[in-house]
């Protein structure tokens, strides 16, 4: 059922940043006429400007990456653990391990509820430790492994996922689970980006001196509806949103690509990973998905990373960094630009993709607002996939959840506060019910 939101144009302009209320912990400079939003695209400024009054956190990679002198070494294949082994990222990581047994070996696996696939992975890769987040499925997993030659230790629940992430033998942990669920297992660790866009940026900034990065350009495929007229979006069905033109991904991220929430979240991630201001992070639609992202340096040079749309490439780079592993042309076709012919680009449509303004606004608000945005979107996408709301309702649910959270925003949250508001946002987003008007009714 729908929330009766007929068109993206009916979503009001980012209300949670246009208020001038002073009874909250937003930590933003007050501008005359209230707080507002600024986002740039192709030199055009949308809306009014907003400034953060506090210095943001230092970037994860301030322009270069240095191999630490005390880096852990090992004999033979690099030992890795995978959190989310049965998902899209996890299965593709295991594809890489299977093709490069002399380079990588699996010591621990964690999955949610796909016990059948997890049991097959255990039999193939023989990890020392396995975790099942859904504790009720532990007996089923044990039954599936009765005839297995190798039987690993099994730890159920969230604690098991944490133990997989901190397995003492693992040099690298690949995290492929959505949202806040991946926070506890990997809190306060050094990270390398495995997402294709952030891997591209990471590769492009290798060797840049400090302060050389001027602008980040995130490329987006445009998703399933990049060629749809806006007025047709009210007719979208779940099956339509899951038809990604370029990538083979899980349902959640495929819907995020259709709404462009994935790109909005990547804008926020780029801010924290690379220390760029939001005014210096832009989105461009690139239908071919060959250029995975670009960076502009201070002297206006633009560096890009290109490759076929295959998530195994950025995962492989993350696993092997700082090294580069030779890939067979049979399983890893080399990019042929002449065969490809042409690459095209266009500015994203804010009316078709209101997620962009929501994400930029949440990013500028900072603190717990970014987590609330992510959690509300995750729940809204779940409701859409379950056919409880319509496609356009995703934007409205996220906006109203962020709007509600403004009064309680925490600028410098603890881990406990991040998790608390993540759970709150999911409950709040899930509580919307269909109504006769444009505004959802809360239970």
């Amino acid at each position: 059922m729908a929330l009766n939101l007929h068109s993206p144009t009916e979503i009001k302009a980012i209300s949670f940043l246009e208020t001038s209320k002073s009874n909250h912990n937003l930590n933003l400079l007050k501008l005359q006429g209230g707080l507002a939003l600024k986002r740039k695209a192709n030199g055009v400024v949308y809306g009014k400007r907003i400034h953060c009054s506090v210095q943001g956190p230092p970037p994860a990679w301030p322009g270069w990456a240095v191999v630490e002198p005390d880096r852990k070494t090992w004999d033979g294949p690099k030992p890795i653990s995978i959190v989310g082994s049965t998902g899209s990222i996890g299965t593709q990581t295991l594809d890489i391990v299977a093709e490069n047994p002399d380079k990588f070996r699996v010591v621990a696996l964690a999955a949610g509820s796909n016990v059948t696939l997890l049991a097959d992975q255990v039999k193939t890769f023989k990890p020392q430790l396995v975790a099942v987040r859904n504790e009720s499925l532990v007996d089923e997993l044990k039954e599936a492994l009765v005839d297995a030659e190798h039987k690993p230790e099994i730890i159920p629940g969230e604690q098991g996922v944490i133990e997989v992430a901190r397995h003492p033998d693992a040099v690298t942990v690949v995290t492929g689970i959505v949202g806040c669920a991946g926070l506890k297992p990997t809190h306060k660790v050094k990270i390398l980006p495995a997402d294709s866009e952030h891997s591209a940026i990471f590769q492009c900034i290798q060797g840049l001196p400090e302060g050389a990065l001027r602008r980040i350009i995130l490329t987006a495929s445009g998703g399933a509806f990049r060629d749809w007229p806006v007025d047709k979006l009210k007719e979208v069905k779940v099956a339509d949103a899951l038809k990604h033109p370029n990538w083979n991904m899980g349902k959640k991220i495929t819907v995020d690509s259709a709404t462009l929430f994935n790109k909005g979240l990547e804008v926020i991630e780029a801010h924290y990973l690379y220390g760029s201001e939001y005014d210096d992070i832009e989105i461009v639609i690139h239908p071919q998905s060959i250029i995975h992202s670009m960076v502009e340096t201070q002297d206006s040079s633009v560096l890009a990373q290109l490759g076929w749309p295959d998530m195994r490439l950025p995962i492989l780079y993350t696993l092997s960094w700082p090294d580069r592993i030779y890939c067979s042309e049979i399983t890893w076709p080399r990019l042929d630009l002449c065969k490809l012919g042409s690459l095209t680009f266009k500015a994203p449509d804010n009316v078709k993709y209101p997620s962009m303004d929501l994400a930029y606004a949440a990013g500028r608000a900072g603190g717990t607002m970014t987590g609330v945005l992510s959690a509300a979107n995750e729940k809204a996408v779940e409701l859409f996939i379950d056919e409880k709301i319509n496609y356009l309702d995703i934007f409205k649910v996220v906006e109203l959840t962020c709007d509600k959270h403004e009064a309680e925003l925490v600028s410098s949250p603890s881990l406990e506060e991040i998790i608390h508001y993540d759970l709150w946002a999911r409950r709040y987003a899930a509580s919307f019910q269909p109504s006769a008007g444009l505004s959802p009714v809360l239970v």
Side-chain angles (χ1 to χ4, degrees):
M1 299 182 73
L3 302 179
N4 294 320
L5 180 62
H6 301 126
S7 164
T9 57
E10 294 180 6
I11 297 179
K12 62 181 183 292
I14 321 306
S15 61
F16 67 92
L17 282 187
E18 288 191 334
T19 178
S20 58
K21 290 186 287 185
S22 59
N23 61 341
H24 54 75
N25 196 21
L26 193 53
N27 261 0
L28 295 171
L29 288 178
K30 299 286 183 176
L31 303 180
Q32 187 171 6
L35 297 174
L37 167 71
K38 178 190 178 186
R39 195 181 72 75
K40 293 194 302 184
N42 294 336
V44 179
V45 177
Y46 295 93
K48 296 173 286 183
R49 187 180 181 108
I50 186 168
H51 297 275
C52 291
S53 61
V54 292
Q55 180 67 36
W61 300 104
W64 68 93
V66 179
V67 180
E68 297 176 347
D70 59 346
R71 182 186 182 210
K72 185 176 179 180
T73 58
W74 59 93
D75 295 324
K78 179 192 252 186
I80 68 170
S81 62
I82 303 174
V83 177
S85 67
T86 59
S88 175
I89 297 299
T91 54
Q92 290 180 89
T93 300
L94 289 173
D95 286 344
I96 292 171
V97 175
E99 187 170 337
N100 298 276
D102 59 324
K103 299 291 192 302
F104 311 106
R105 65 182 176 90
V106 176
V107 297
L109 295 174
S113 58
N114 192 340
V115 170
T116 302
L117 179 55
L118 178 59
D120 289 341
Q121 292 174 345
V122 170
K123 294 174 184 178
T124 301
F125 296 98
K126 299 177 173 57
Q128 302 166 25
L129 174 65
V130 171
V132 185
R133 191 175 184 87
N134 188 336
E135 299 185 31
S136 66
L137 297 175
V138 171
D139 289 340
E140 184 179 337
L141 176 61
K142 291 180 178 178
E143 179 65 25
L145 295 174
V146 165
D147 61 346
E149 177 185 345
H150 169 78
K151 291 183 174 60
E153 178 185 3
I154 300 174
I155 302 179
E158 184 178 52
Q159 187 58 40
V161 179
I162 292 173
E163 293 304 322
V164 165
R166 68 182 185 185
H167 192 284
D169 292 345
V171 174
T172 297
V173 180
V174 178
T175 301
I177 53 180
V178 173
C180 198
L183 186 57
K184 274 190 177 181
T186 53
H187 187 55
K188 292 185 177 179
V189 298
K190 294 183 178 181
I191 62 174
L192 291 172
D195 193 16
S196 60
E197 292 81 0
H198 291 306
S199 175
I201 297 165
F202 180 58
Q203 294 181 57
C204 288
I205 66 174
Q206 300 296 292
L208 291 186
E210 185 173 7
L213 182 61
R214 182 176 183 178
R215 180 173 56 128
I216 288 174
I217 305 167
L218 292 167
T219 54
S221 68
F225 309 126
R226 67 188 180 201
D227 299 320
W228 285 40
V230 172
D231 57 5
K232 191 181 176 183
L233 294 180
K234 60 180 178 291
E235 304 170 10
V236 165
K237 305 299 181 185
V238 174
D240 299 324
L242 296 179
K243 294 176 182 176
H244 196 284
N246 300 343
W247 297 92
N248 180 21
M249 306 178 291
K251 289 184 178 180
K252 196 268 181 182
I253 185 60
T254 304
V255 175
D256 280 350
S257 181
T259 62
L260 224 66
F261 261 115
N262 69 325
K263 212 55 51 179
L265 292 169
E266 287 169 16
V267 166
I268 295 170
E269 292 162 358
H271 169 74
Y272 287 106
L273 280 170
Y274 307 111
S276 296
E277 294 294 333
Y278 286 102
D279 285 353
D280 299 322
I281 306 171
E282 298 184 7
I283 298 171
V284 62
I285 301 295
H286 171 47
Q288 294 82 15
S289 294
I290 295 298
I291 295 180
H292 298 298
S293 276
M294 297 171 272
V295 300
E296 181 185 12
T297 59
Q298 293 293 349
D299 59 6
S300 77
S301 291
V302 175
L303 310 177
Q305 187 266 327
L306 287 70
W308 294 117
D310 186 337
M311 273 303 299
R312 294 178 304 164
L313 289 171
I315 295 171
L316 177 64
Y317 181 72
T318 300
L319 286 174
S320 59
W321 183 86
D323 301 319
R324 294 273 186 176
I325 292 179
Y326 172 81
C327 294
S328 163
E329 292 185 40
I330 298 175
T331 55
W332 303 75
R334 297 168 72 178
L335 183 64
D336 187 336
L337 291 176
C338 295
K339 182 178 179 180
L340 186 65
S342 63
L343 303 176
T344 59
F345 309 89
K346 64 180 180 179
D349 184 344
N350 287 60
V351 176
K352 181 182 288 188
Y353 304 113
S355 50
M356 293 189 298
D357 286 338
L358 287 165
Y360 274 90
R364 287 189 167 91
T368 49
M369 188 64 81
T370 55
V372 164
L373 175 93
S374 176
N377 173 64
E378 192 173 330
K379 177 54 67 174
V381 170
E382 178 185 318
L383 293 172
F384 167 66
I385 291 174
D386 292 341
E387 299 185 344
K388 294 179 180 178
I389 64 173
N390 281 343
Y391 173 77
L392 293 177
D393 299 333
I394 295 173
F395 305 106
K396 191 68 173 178
V397 168
V398 174
E399 184 204 13
L400 292 174
T401 304
C402 291
D403 186 59
K404 181 70 174 179
H405 178 60
E406 182 196 6
E408 296 185 17
L409 188 149
V410 180
S411 296
S412 300
S414 64
L415 177 61
E416 290 72 22
E417 287 171 322
I418 292 172
I419 294 173
H420 167 76
Y421 283 109
D422 174 271
L423 294 173
W424 170 86
R426 294 170 193 275
R427 289 194 300 268
Y428 190 84
S431 66
F432 287 103
Q433 297 293 312
S435 67
L438 291 178
S439 298
V441 176
L442 287 171
V443 175

